[in-house]
Amino acid sequence: MTTPDYDTDVTQLRDTMTKSLVDKGVLADPAWHQAVATVPRHHFVPGFFLPTEKLDAHGLTVWEPVTPELDHSRWLTAAYSNITLITQFGSDEPDWSHPQVRHGGTPTSSSTLPSLVVRMWADADVQEGHTVLEIGTGTGYSTALACERLGSADVTSIEVDAHRLDQAADALHGCGYTPTLAVADGLYGYWPEAPFDRIVAACSFRAVPPALIAQTRPGGKILLTLSGWLYGYARVLLTVAEDSTAEGPLLGGTVSFMTARTHAAPAFGNPSHWAAELPDNPRPARHGPEWLTAATDEAFHLRFLAQSAIPDAQMTTVGETFHLIDVVSGSAAALTPHDGDWVVREGGPLRLWERIERVLDSYEAAGRPGPEAFTVRVHEGKQHLRHPRLPSLPLPRP
């Protein structure tokens, strides 16, 4: 049983969070405003991890568990903050009765920050009467907002992790929401409930899954994040036509989502092993790796463009050397500083850095266009990133 003070705290914190989202301009729609003001987010996050400010001795992020038992005030305050709450790393399911501090690790499930959740639903132009498919139930908080906005009968949500879905289902049902839920891989959508008016993915894909287009009504829309092995991301809003062609613009902003598990990058081994096989005849590089590695919105955007040119490559930096490694073709490149500039060695069937240089040359010649200047077109089994002043870039085979 909750106490009056507890209920008051929850109400005040939720009201404060709702007001902050209004101030950010993400709750212009009264229906989404009402949903955020109603759904109790804390019911969907019985435990989560928050990063500490300091790295450990190995340079890894230290993640502290937060539960109501450990620190009730911190747990409740964080639950009603506009932040992402990490709930899982890898395939390890936390024991929230005895949670442990984590050092490093790759998050695989979370409760996305509320402003982005609402932004996704709003950008997909979800309206009363629409049937929607959500890919990536996660904690169920986003699902609850959709149910509050549309009614549970029009909401289907799928999750690849059975345990995650069980926990989300308990939270949803405990709050009175009864959407259609299923354990399923988002790559294939969910045929039993198709067709949908809107599909919104809370994970990212290397290319648009064809099943999602097939499961969308003509005139319907798909909002998803495209990603790749260079960790470039771009959100795209596609409209599906009668002939199953889908086309739409990239949306602005630097939004990233966890990659769908079937599209995750493979391990590439030791970079020094790859570099040792490269020919010892470096050439001057026309562009340095800072184009891709800088902590800027432009570099975020350029990683997405670059990976369209070398979709199977990954990048890493060891010391002063920047490596590109393509485990599919067996190609590699290594850039090292030399006399205030960069030199590059390349080997294998693909000249990886040369391909990136061509993209960067064209990008500069076109006036450095931002994401909103690009469109994605899916037609007859092919997918391309297009811009009127740049060569068409194919997306990887889905």
Side-chain angles (χ1 to χ4, degrees):
M1 179 179 294
T2 57
T3 65
D5 287 344
Y6 175 81
D7 290 339
T8 300
D9 288 346
V10 168
T11 301
Q12 289 178 343
L13 287 169
R14 188 164 62 240
D15 288 347
T16 299
M17 184 184 77
T18 303
K19 183 179 183 302
S20 74
L21 298 184
V22 170
D23 293 341
K24 291 178 182 293
V26 297
L27 284 181
D29 184 330
W32 289 118
H33 182 288
Q34 180 62 30
V36 172
T38 302
V39 175
R41 191 187 187 201
H42 67 287
H43 282 314
F44 296 88
V45 285
F48 47 84
F49 293 94
L50 292 178
T52 61
E53 294 183 356
K54 296 183 179 179
L55 304 178
D56 69 8
H58 301 286
L60 300 175
T61 300
V62 178
W63 296 89
E64 290 183 342
V66 181
T67 68
E69 291 75 23
L70 290 172
D71 189 333
H72 191 276
S73 177
R74 186 186 186 196
W75 166 74
L76 199 58
T77 300
Y80 287 101
S81 299
N82 188 38
I83 59 175
T84 293
L85 306 173
I86 303 301
T87 55
Q88 186 188 53
F89 290 85
S91 58
D92 299 333
E93 189 59 42
D95 178 3
W96 292 117
S97 61
H98 299 91
Q100 303 296 316
V101 172
R102 289 194 60 99
H103 292 252
T106 302
T108 52
S109 190
S110 67
S111 177
T112 302
L113 66 162
S115 61
L116 179 53
V117 170
V118 175
R119 179 179 169 188
M120 292 290 286
W121 288 124
D123 284 348
D125 190 27
V126 173
Q127 300 289 337
E128 188 87 17
H130 283 163
T131 56
V132 303
L133 170 65
E134 176 189 43
I135 298 173
T137 312
T139 64
Y141 175 67
S142 174
T143 319
L145 291 177
C147 290
E148 186 68 35
R149 170 71 173 85
L150 301 172
S152 297
D154 288 332
V155 178
T156 298
S157 185
I158 61 175
E159 168 63 48
V160 71
D161 187 314
H163 188 77
R164 295 277 94 197
L165 190 69
D166 284 345
Q167 291 188 331
D170 287 344
L172 285 162
H173 295 160
C175 293
Y177 303 116
T178 57
T180 298
L181 301 173
V183 176
D185 188 333
L187 188 64
Y188 306 103
Y190 199 60
W191 286 102
E193 295 296 315
F196 302 98
D197 296 299
R198 298 289 186 270
I199 295 180
V200 176
C203 61
S204 64
F205 299 96
R206 297 181 72 204
V208 182
L212 303 188
I213 296 174
Q215 292 174 30
T216 303
R217 288 190 177 94
K221 297 181 180 181
I222 303 169
L223 178 65
L224 52 78
T225 302
L226 296 173
S227 64
W229 295 348
L230 293 185
Y231 296 100
Y233 298 85
R235 289 192 310 148
V236 60
L237 180 61
L238 298 169
T239 300
V240 178
E242 289 279 357
D243 62 357
S244 295
T245 297
E247 189 168 3
L250 299 187
L251 305 182
T254 55
V255 174
S256 61
F257 277 101
M258 297 170 191
T259 304
R261 298 185 188 186
T262 47
H263 280 190
F268 54 74
N270 187 332
S272 64
H273 296 165
W274 290 84
E277 298 298 317
L278 296 176
D280 192 19
N281 56 339
R283 65 169 176 85
R286 295 199 306 278
H287 299 284
E290 63 275 4
W291 280 84
L292 306 183
T293 60
T296 62
D297 290 353
E298 184 179 45
F300 187 93
H301 172 47
L302 284 174
R303 286 198 297 275
F304 179 73
L305 299 183
Q307 73 196 10
S308 296
I310 51 171
D312 299 322
Q314 300 176 67
M315 67 180 185
T316 187
T317 300
V318 180
E320 291 186 310
T321 303
F322 174 86
H323 298 266
L324 285 173
I325 298 167
D326 182 339
V327 301
V328 177
S329 70
S331 304
L335 282 83
T336 53
H338 180 71
D339 291 340
D341 219 325
W342 293 86
V343 294
V344 57
R345 294 185 298 137
E346 298 180 279
L350 304 178
R351 294 297 181 260
L352 300 177
W353 192 249
E354 184 177 322
R355 289 192 173 199
I356 287 183
E357 287 177 321
R358 289 201 294 266
V359 170
L360 295 177
D361 288 341
S362 299
Y363 170 76
E364 279 198 299
R368 297 189 174 191
E372 300 93 334
F374 292 81
T375 59
V376 171
R377 177 174 170 81
V378 183
H379 180 62
E380 295 182 347
K382 297 179 181 178
Q383 304 187 19
H384 287 87
L385 179 66
R386 308 199 313 178
H387 182 276
R389 296 181 60 191
L390 289 170
S392 178
L393 291 169
L395 297 180
R397 293 183 64 85

